[in-house]
């Protein structure tokens, strides 16, 4: 079963607006990652947040993590047409590990940025 | 440097035939992963290699699926007696030792007729 579940499933906003996507997971984690996928092919790693962190920033990306609610959010500020993609949260299959491990992904949020 | 490469990019085969999918990880990455992505099932983990050994094969959906990795580098995913439900994009990823972030290849789109 999917460990992470994102919502919304689809999101369409105007260029320049902020986009927020949420993810929930079921088991304990060491870290949570967000990936982007363009055109249904390879995924690109965006950001990793560790279980002892509550918020992390990278450029226009802001990720939060609430381990008590088993949820995370990804905020993209000042969106651009190039941000149009699917976004997935991912957690390690073995949850508690901090190193290399297979990942379990949510179903993703398809984000469309309208010019 | 070069990223993860996969070949072929597209493969069309007939039901019952065997297929081999290849993955070349980023040089020096010790961990290698196979996933598949389909409309109905989303992204599913298949198998994970650390060096040449596979500590986790839990995601392989049936005994028709197998994978090997040689020389700590190239990996081949083999699907025997393909079925229509095997149609999906097969993604390979690699990561440095003990690093959770994964670098993905462009995938192989497999269509079983």
């Amino acid at each position: 079963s999917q460990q992470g579940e994102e919502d919304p499933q689809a999101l369409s906003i105007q260029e320049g607006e902020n986009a927020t996507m949420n993810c929930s997971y079921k088991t304990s984690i060491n870290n949570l990652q967000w990936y982007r996928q363009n055109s249904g092919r390879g995924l690109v790693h965006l950001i990793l947040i560790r279980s002892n962190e509550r918020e992390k920033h990278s450029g226009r990306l802001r990720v939060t993590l609430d381990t008590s609610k088993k949820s995370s959010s990804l905020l993209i500020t000042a969106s651009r047409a190039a941000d149009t993609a699917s976004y997935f949260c991912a957690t390690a299959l073995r949850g508690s590990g901090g190193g290399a491990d297979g990942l379990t992904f949510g179903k993703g949020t398809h984000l469309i940025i309208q010019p | 440097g070069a990223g993860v490469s996969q070949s072929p990019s597209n493969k069309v085969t007939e039901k019952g035939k065997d297929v081999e999918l290849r993955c070349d990880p980023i040089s020096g990455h010790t961990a290698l992963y196979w996933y598949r992505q389909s409309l109905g099932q989303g992204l599913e983990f298949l198998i994970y290699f650390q060096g040449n050994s596979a500590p986790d094969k839990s995601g392989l959906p049936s005994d028709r699926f197998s994978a090997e990795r040689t020389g700590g580098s190239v990996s081949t995913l083999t699907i025997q007696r393909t079925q229509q439900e095997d149609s999906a994009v097969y993604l390979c990823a690699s990561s440095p030792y003990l690093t959770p972030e994964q670098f993905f290849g462009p995938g192989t789109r497999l269509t079983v007729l």
Side-chain angles (χ1 to χ4, degrees):
Chain A
S1 62
Q2 295 287 347
Q3 164 75 313
E5 296 290 339
E6 292 90 344
D7 80 88
Q9 290 187 339
L11 179 62
S12 180
I13 60 173
Q14 294 295 121
E15 195 166 20
E17 294 180 338
N18 297 340
T20 300
M21 289 157 273
N22 302 297
C23 163
S24 60
Y25 58 92
K26 296 175 184 173
T27 63
S28 343
I29 60 170
N30 182 277
N31 60 71
L32 183 143
Q33 303 180 52
W34 284 89
Y35 287 82
R36 183 186 73 222
Q37 184 177 40
N38 294 86
S39 307
R41 300 304 282 260
L43 285 82
V44 174
H45 178 265
L46 294 176
I47 193 165
L48 178 149
I49 186 165
R50 303 194 187 281
S51 59
N52 61 354
E53 297 176 307
R54 291 296 166 259
E55 187 171 310
K56 195 166 183 179
H57 297 254
S58 176
R60 295 184 295 113
L61 304 180
R62 172 180 167 249
V63 170
T64 63
L65 180 64
D66 187 335
T67 52
S68 67
K69 295 181 180 177
K70 290 188 166 57
S71 67
S72 175
S73 68
L74 172 67
L75 168 68
I76 303 174
T77 60
S79 63
R80 305 168 182 168
D83 295 330
T84 294
S86 292
Y87 292 82
F88 297 87
C89 66
T91 55
L93 281 168
R94 274 178 285 270
S96 57
D101 195 0
L103 297 175
T104 181
F105 289 86
K107 295 191 185 301
T109 292
H110 185 52
L111 175 65
I112 297 172
I113 308 300
Q114 308 275 7
Chain B
V4 177
S5 61
Q6 293 186 246
S7 60
S9 55
N10 288 283
K11 175 73 176 178
V12 180
T13 190
E14 293 179 348
K15 179 181 171 181
K17 297 284 178 86
D18 298 351
V19 295
E20 282 190 353
L21 311 180
R22 177 187 168 107
C23 172
D24 280 89
I26 293 172
S27 177
H29 283 193
T30 58
L32 185 147
Y33 315 81
W34 284 98
Y35 299 87
R36 74 174 176 182
Q37 186 174 30
S38 59
L39 280 175
Q41 300 298 320
L43 270 157
E44 301 174 277
F45 166 78
L46 297 179
I47 188 169
Y48 151 54
F49 288 91
Q50 186 65 256
N52 290 335
S53 65
D56 190 350
K57 302 180 183 180
S58 62
L60 294 177
S62 76
D63 58 8
R64 296 187 294 105
F65 288 72
S66 63
E68 64 175 14
R69 188 180 186 195
T70 54
S73 180
V74 171
S75 175
T76 303
L77 177 69
T78 301
I79 309 173
Q80 295 178 309
R81 305 180 301 282
T82 51
Q83 304 294 313
Q84 288 183 330
E85 61 263 28
D86 299 335
S87 295
V89 176
Y90 288 81
L91 293 163
C92 176
S94 68
S95 65
Y97 184 61
L98 293 181
T99 302
E101 298 92 333
Q102 298 182 15
F103 297 79
F104 281 78
T108 293
R109 184 177 296 280
L110 175 67
T111 303
V112 182
L113 301 176

